[in-house]
Amino acid sequence: MGCLPAALERAGREESWAVADAICTVLEDPGELRAWRRQLLAACMRGLVAIYSSSKDESKPELERAMLLRLEELLGVLQEVDPGDWCSLVKTGLKFRYRDGTFLEVLNAAVQLLYGSESAL
């Protein structure tokens, strides 16, 4: 479990995400599960930043879409984000994917969730 988040940040590691999902299903302690999901969220955002930075054009749309949907799911559950990771994701995403509809939809949903009227931010 300790090494998995770093592996998740690397692009193209869908097998690792399957392991991460399996870990989520077996964690019983709510505190441990929340901490694990925070690590997954950070890994997902850092992975997207790495994908966007390494491939300026949309060379892996299916991988990006899967990561964006995972990001949206984790944000919906946690409703919090590390400010540094969030800033990096937004900056890099808008720089390289400002025309990508899926990215913009997920970004809009995340902004509504994080900065909405009921948000702690």
Side-chain angles (χ1 to χ4, degrees), residues 15-64:
E15 304 87 25
S16 299
W17 282 102
V19 173
D21 291 339
I23 291 171
C24 283
T25 60
V26 297
L27 286 176
E28 294 179 3
D29 180 36
E32 285 182 15
L33 181 59
R34 187 163 185 79
W36 178 245
R37 285 181 174 154
R38 279 191 201 124
Q39 289 181 351
L40 295 180
L41 178 61
C44 185
M45 288 191 289
R46 291 177 190 149
L48 282 167
V49 168
I51 290 170
Y52 294 159
S53 297
S54 67
S55 60
K56 313 284 190 265
D57 59 338
E58 295 181 50
S59 59
K60 302 175 186 176
E62 63 283 339
L63 176 63
E64 290 180 24

